[in-house]
Amino acid sequence: MSLTPVVAHSAKVTPNTLLERKQAHQPITSLTAYDYATARLADDAGIDLLLVGDSLAMVVMGLDSTLPVTVDEMLHHTRAVRRGVRRAMLVSDMPYGSYHVSAEEGVANAARFLKEGGAEAVKIEGARPELVERLVAAEIPVIAHIGLTPQSVHRMGGYKVQGKTAAGYARLRKEARALENAGACAVVLEGMPRELAAEITAELTIPTIGIGAGVDCDGQILVFHDLVNLTFSPPARFVRRYADAAELFRNAITAYRDDVVERRYPAENESYHLPKSTKGTVATEPGAVAFDASQLRRKA
């Protein structure tokens, strides 16, 4: 018998739902999504929270980091995901530069994700309690994100686990409390020791969602493309691949190519034909060469 709580498909997930899950010690399931098809599949599977992550810069657009993706590009993908979601809570990443210049610009950009993209919350990276307060005051739910924050890759000197020193450990605990006090409805804990994530989770009233932060968080999130092996790069230590979509797609594409080359596709039952009543009435153009299918090279 499954211990997974049964939630009706019509029960819309909201920030209050996430809080109730933490209070009831029921794990929160989260995934990234970047298009209608994957969003619909994840929503149908009962995933609680779907994040239109700025990771799309790397796994969808083929860029080297998350930094170049723009607000308009994130909005484009958010709208696509919105069309596939009925139950899950839809959150959009605010990309680098969209909230770093001023709080006013950050609030204005965040409002676009709700008004134009259909998001129900935004996620921002780093310890920015003042910005969280401004966003919450503007009726914009906020998920915070601390630890290994990819938008800070240059400052951190690479994608490195955070909080391994005593000073780093204390700093992240302090940041988490400040973000909760500012009004964040949840916080993503990325790339930190399990012990630290467990302590933060126990200290906070709001839910924690881990990625590379151990099993003690209130929920977990993975990048969809990591989950199904579509990243074309070695996985991080915390990634568990549940399927090999790359191999599935590669085999299907190769089989299709071979069938076209060998004229096995399309088959007769995949082709349309003239009705018998029409065949004898079709006029042949003067000088036209009749098509002889027997001349086609077919594999024996």
Side-chain angles (χ1 to χ4, degrees):
M1 179 178 178
S2 173
L3 297 180
T4 303
V6 177
V7 180
H9 186 79
S10 59
K12 185 73 179 74
V13 178
T14 69
N16 286 338
T17 309
L18 303 185
L19 183 59
E20 291 168 359
R21 290 288 181 83
K22 179 182 178 80
Q23 293 169 345
H25 305 288
Q26 296 176 344
I28 298 163
T29 59
S30 310
L31 270 179
T32 63
Y34 314 107
D35 57 35
Y36 169 81
T38 51
R40 180 158 181 174
L41 289 171
D43 193 59
D44 287 348
I47 295 297
D48 299 316
L49 185 152
L50 288 177
L51 171 68
V52 185
D54 59 359
S55 48
L56 71 85
M58 303 169 76
V59 300
V60 175
M61 301 171 68
L63 298 169
D64 292 332
S65 73
T66 65
L67 300 182
V69 72
T70 68
V71 169
D72 286 339
E73 289 166 337
M74 291 296 301
L75 281 169
H76 170 83
H77 287 272
T78 300
R79 286 190 287 266
V81 170
R82 172 75 276 165
R83 298 180 191 111
V85 173
R86 295 294 179 270
R87 174 185 166 274
M89 179 174 167
L90 177 56
V91 183
S92 286
D93 256 338
M94 293 191 66
Y96 178 74
S98 66
Y99 57 96
H100 298 74
V101 177
S102 67
E104 290 74 16
E105 186 175 11
V107 172
N109 283 324
R112 292 188 67 192
F113 281 100
L114 273 64
K115 284 179 66 69
E116 301 175 35
E120 295 156 334
V122 297
K123 182 172 76 63
I124 61 172
E125 294 186 10
R128 291 180 166 82
E130 297 83 3
L131 177 58
V132 172
E133 288 181 354
R134 292 286 299 273
L135 291 168
V136 172
E139 312 294 347
I140 301 172
V142 184
I143 293 181
H145 181 170
I146 59 173
L148 195 169
T149 48
Q151 292 178 7
S152 305
V153 60
H154 296 313
R155 176 180 59 79
M156 293 186 302
Y159 300 105
K160 299 179 179 179
V161 174
Q162 303 295 297
K164 295 174 72 173
T165 66
Y169 194 102
R171 173 179 58 81
L172 288 172
R173 285 182 59 199
K174 182 178 179 180
E175 290 177 358
R177 291 193 296 269
L179 290 164
E180 176 180 65
N181 292 336
C185 64
V187 58
V188 171
L189 306 179
E190 179 171 2
M192 64 178 64
R194 173 183 175 178
E195 296 84 356
L196 173 56
E199 188 163 348
I200 291 173
T201 299
E203 288 180 342
L204 297 188
T205 301
I206 60 174
T208 62
I209 299 175
I211 177 167
V215 74
D216 304 295
C217 298
D218 297 306
Q220 299 292 330
I221 187 167
L222 276 178
V223 170
F224 175 82
H225 289 60
D226 282 333
L227 185 85
V228 296
N229 188 27
L230 282 176
T231 59
F232 306 99
S233 60
R237 178 175 181 172
F238 58 81
V239 170
R240 181 182 296 180
R241 287 178 169 166
Y242 285 83
D244 193 347
E247 186 67 13
L248 173 68
F249 291 163
R250 188 178 292 111
N251 289 341
I253 293 167
T254 300
Y256 164 73
R257 180 204 63 196
D258 292 346
D259 282 352
V260 170
V261 169
E262 298 297 328
R263 296 192 182 275
R264 293 189 297 258
Y265 176 83
E268 280 299 292
N269 64 346
E270 295 164 327
S271 303
Y272 300 101
H273 298 279
L274 279 172
K276 291 180 180 179
S277 60
T278 306
K279 285 183 179 180
T281 64
V282 175
T284 303
E285 292 289 334
V289 178
F291 176 70
D292 184 1
S294 66
Q295 295 176 3
L296 295 177
R297 291 182 293 113
R298 296 180 179 273
K299 188 173 181 180

